[in-house]
Amino acid sequence: FSARGDFLRKWGSDGEGDGQFNAPLGIALGRQGNVYVLDSQNDRVQVFNSGGEFLTKWRVGTVPGLSEGPKGIAVDASGNVYLTEQGGRLELYSASGEFLRTLGDFGSGDGQFLVPLGVAVDAFLNVYVLDAGNGRVQVFSARGDFLRKWGSVGIGDGQFTFPWGIAVGEEGNVYVAGTLNNQVQVFSP
């Protein structure tokens, strides 16, 4: 859609081929205008230019037997791609799709996840992960060091009931969409 909401274009169809999708769950925009689509049931990321032309793809899910499917995607200013895995971790790939490392494991401690869903990256390359099962946001440095967390399960201010979407604005504010409590909460940097 344009800034006025006019329909511009669409691409894709059902399937496993290039430019086809099976349950796309997430979308992220790269620095050069490329569009990264998390094609969840095909266990891959597909990359397109802003006009919808297929550029490349790569498989995701690095730990055999533990991958429960990617759920969230974000791209940083360097082109690195971050994927949340429902199995309790965050995966990091280079702009070309080379696996770099995982972050976290299953649990409720600092740096652990119980159903990580949304992911976002700010201008300083800090990574924000929605840890839906634990009802919180966790923040990591670009190197993967745990920095801080906030939130708990519930419906009050600063609480989350299965949060799914997260975004960081240019001003640094963090926006969180709660799926089951039907609200968007905004937090200062």
Side-chain angles (χ1 to χ4, degrees), residues 61-157:
T62 60
V63 182
L66 292 179
S67 179
E68 294 184 33
K71 302 298 180 205
I73 186 170
V75 179
D76 69 22
S78 300
N80 294 316
V81 178
Y82 301 80
L83 299 175
T84 56
E85 275 282 339
Q86 193 170 341
R89 67 184 178 281
L90 182 72
E91 295 182 351
L92 175 61
Y93 295 83
S94 71
S96 63
E98 175 189 357
F99 171 75
L100 299 175
R101 68 178 185 266
T102 62
L103 175 66
D105 57 13
F106 190 78
S108 58
D110 292 349
Q112 294 181 321
F113 306 110
L114 181 60
V115 191
L117 294 176
V119 59
V121 183
D122 70 14
F124 301 102
L125 302 182
N126 293 314
V127 181
Y128 298 74
V129 180
L130 278 177
D131 185 7
N134 289 312
R136 64 186 178 183
V137 174
Q138 293 194 71
V139 185
F140 301 86
S141 71
R143 292 188 335 225
D145 299 321
F146 174 81
L147 298 176
R148 64 188 175 281
K149 65 184 175 189
W150 73 86
S152 61
V153 176
I155 60 171
D157 292 347

Side-chain angles (χ1 to χ4, degrees), residues 161-172:
T161 305
F162 217 77
W164 192 290
I166 187 167
V168 181
E170 290 180 14
E171 73 290 344

